[in-house]
Amino acid sequence: MSILKFRYNPKNELEPGGRSAAPVQQDESEPERTCPNCRKSTPVSRLWANQNVCPCGHHFRLGARQRIGLLADRDSFREMDAALQSCDPLRFSGYEAKLESARLSSGEAEAVLCGTAAIQGQPCCLFVMEPGFMMGSMGTAVGEKLTRLFEYALTHRLPVVGCTVSGGARMQEGLLSLMQMAKVSGAVRRHSDAGLFYLVLLTDPTTGGVTASFAMEGDIILAEPGATVGFAGARVIEQTTRKALPKGFQTAEFLLEHGFADAIVPRSVHRETIGYLLALHGEGGSQ
Amino acid sequence: MSISAYDRVKTARDNKRPTGLDFIHGLFTDFLELHGDRRFGDDPAVVGGVARLEGRPVTVIAIERGHGTKDRVARGFGSPNPEGYRKALRLMRQAEKFHRPVVCLIDTAGACCGIGAEERGQGQAIAENLTAMMGLNTPIVSILIGEGGSGGALALAVADRVWMLENAVYSVISPEGCASILWKDAKKADEAAKNLKLTARDALTLSVVERMIGEADLGQPPFYARLRAMLSRELTVLSEQDALLSQRYEWFRRIGTAEQEGNRDT
Ligand SMILES: [Zn+2]
């Protein structure tokens, strides 16, 4: 069975919300994944039944559609601007081929999926970044999709839930990528000024220009356990400072300790937690 | 043109080039430096304060690389820490309260890459400046005077007017960083600089900056006089504008709307 087919046709069909519908069956021949944390290998179907979390608690990365499947109510996701994708505005050497291969390998047009959805019955705008597409990097199309999503949410008075995973601004679109940080931040600001709720879920990894913009602009910032979140790359910091990095540097736990995340939430309760927060903010106080 | 993009990068980084403080003294009178972010400390890489521009009260914020080795080290080579961005934001909010326009002078290789910077939320500090400046209800003019390194430069460049000196550069990543990530070879920085479209002329062509400022007489009194007159005129125009914030939003909103396929598929 090809990896791709397996991805779209898991043995243990997942219900939205990620609970396994059938008891897990072990299959000798099925592929396994080795956990970078505990070094143990687990059959892929068993990982799937556990929302791609190792029994030790290590959270493997999720593709954007997989994450939407876990978060959104069944069939509630309506994708917006699905065909919008970056060209090669700067004619940057090798970029066109890179885009082509990113599209082929991820099966997505761009590094973020945007749309409307319901989470535990709560309507919202939802964006989820795609690690399989140039590690979720932000070029003009990602910036434009996110801006349109926040503008749509403002018009329709909807909250926004965003799952970030990104290496930062996409260097092949140069300054135009950098400006997307300002553009999206402007849209976030307008949405916020209208009294609307924006929840961020930081996932592994969230770095660079995305950390320095919309990933840190939520009213509430949640993080997945163990996720790497930071501005500068750890290697760059090590080379610049010539110092050993402290243990657990730039992890979700590090962020929590230093006051830059509201809570660390394991994947098994993302849906409940986010659903609760959406409901709470939807109720309003004294209007 | 025989000057390559990477030549411009080297010019922008030249130690003899006037720094933020030189610009402050060249452009303004009665500058009084105001220190500290009121939260953690005072970042010497960011110099801010109040001054007069042809008599008009203004708030000035500059990134300062320093002169000479000792000064440069003390100023973190002009790479601000989170407290630098937070000091800038504090002074900008003060300017808003007292209806003073803000002038930012930008010259940085990028925000500081350090352990402390991460501990104190470098990403959050920059992000907060972006959203705050988008809604800051007073005119802002940002001028890239040397190096405009990525988010660390943008954190002071969400403005009503973004200008750039002829030999300044503005880039999402340093050409060396870009070359080593893409081609595993920092020596290809020349090639990366060309690809990144980081010169003032490129930024003008991409409509990311509004004006390019000639620098044949850089650092000379006539240069500052010209720039001072330009600034003064612009601040007058901006102070009379009533849709300031929506125009600022639209300036950034339109960047990167035409570069995609499948635009408006709904
Ligand atoms: Zn494990």
Side-chain angles (χ1 to χ4, degrees), chain A residues 62-275:
Chain A
L62 283 180
R65 287 200 197 270
Q66 297 168 325
R67 192 176 289 281
I68 291 168
L70 293 181
L71 268 184
D73 297 349
R74 184 189 286 272
D75 297 329
S76 72
F77 183 66
R78 299 274 172 282
E79 193 171 350
M80 293 157 60
D81 298 310
L84 206 148
Q85 56 189 44
S86 277
C87 311
D88 180 9
L90 306 186
R91 305 262 155 261
F92 196 106
S93 167
Y95 182 36
E96 229 166 330
K98 208 160 266 181
L99 277 174
E100 187 71 34
S101 88
R103 279 172 196 139
L104 279 172
S105 64
S106 68
E108 300 296 348
E110 258 301 334
V112 69
L113 301 184
C114 296
T116 55
I119 298 175
Q120 290 203 317
Q122 301 294 321
C124 62
C125 281
L126 176 65
F127 74 81
V128 181
M129 303 184 87
E130 172 57 63
F133 194 106
M134 299 182 75
M135 195 38 87
S137 70
M138 172 165 66
T140 53
V142 170
E144 181 65 17
K145 284 177 85 166
L146 290 170
T147 304
R148 287 187 191 179
L149 188 76
F150 276 95
E151 288 175 342
Y152 180 93
L154 174 62
T155 308
H156 295 85
R157 296 204 58 83
L158 285 166
V160 175
V161 173
C163 305
T164 61
V165 40
S166 181
R170 193 177 295 169
M171 57 189 152
Q172 292 91 342
E173 294 184 44
L175 264 183
L176 297 174
S177 295
L178 185 69
M179 292 303 124
Q180 302 310 304
M181 291 167 61
K183 179 166 117 181
V184 177
S185 295
V188 171
R189 167 80 192 228
R190 286 190 159 190
H191 182 259
S192 178
D193 283 350
L196 298 166
F197 180 50
Y198 170 32
L199 182 146
V200 174
L201 174 65
L202 303 167
T203 77
D204 185 66
T206 298
T207 60
V210 168
T211 300
S213 61
F214 58 89
M216 285 292 143
E217 292 167 359
D219 298 294
I220 291 184
I221 300 175
L222 308 178
E224 230 172 35
T228 295
V229 183
F231 173 67
R235 250 205 357 233
V236 176
I237 296 174
E238 217 160 21
Q239 282 164 5
T240 315
T241 61
R242 295 166 203 273
K243 279 187 200 145
L245 302 176
K247 201 164 172 279
F249 184 64
Q250 290 186 325
T251 57
E253 293 72 15
F254 173 91
L255 248 69
L256 187 80
E257 186 193 332
H258 290 94
F260 292 98
D262 286 287
I264 295 174
V265 181
R267 202 173 280 164
S268 56
V269 290
H270 279 173
R271 202 165 163 259
E272 287 82 346
T273 310
I274 294 172

Side-chain angles (χ1 to χ4, degrees), chain A residues 35-40 54-58:
Chain A
C35 171
N37 181 46
C38 68
R39 310 260 163 226
K40 286 191 185 125
C54 178
C56 81
H58 173 76

Side-chain angles (χ1 to χ4, degrees), chain A residues 175 178-179 181 231, chain B residues 12-13 63 65 78-80 85 106-113 126 144-157 164 168-175 198:
Chain A
L175 264 183
L178 185 69
M179 292 303 124
M181 291 167 61
F231 173 67
Chain B
R13 290 172 179 167
I63 303 181
R65 289 171 183 267
S79 284
Y85 295 112
I106 298 160
D107 181 18
T108 181
C112 175
C113 294
I126 295 170
L144 292 132
I145 59 171
E147 221 179 342
S150 197
L154 182 66
L156 294 179
M164 210 168 154
V169 293
Y170 197 6
S171 182
V172 68
I173 186 169
S174 74
L198 45 63

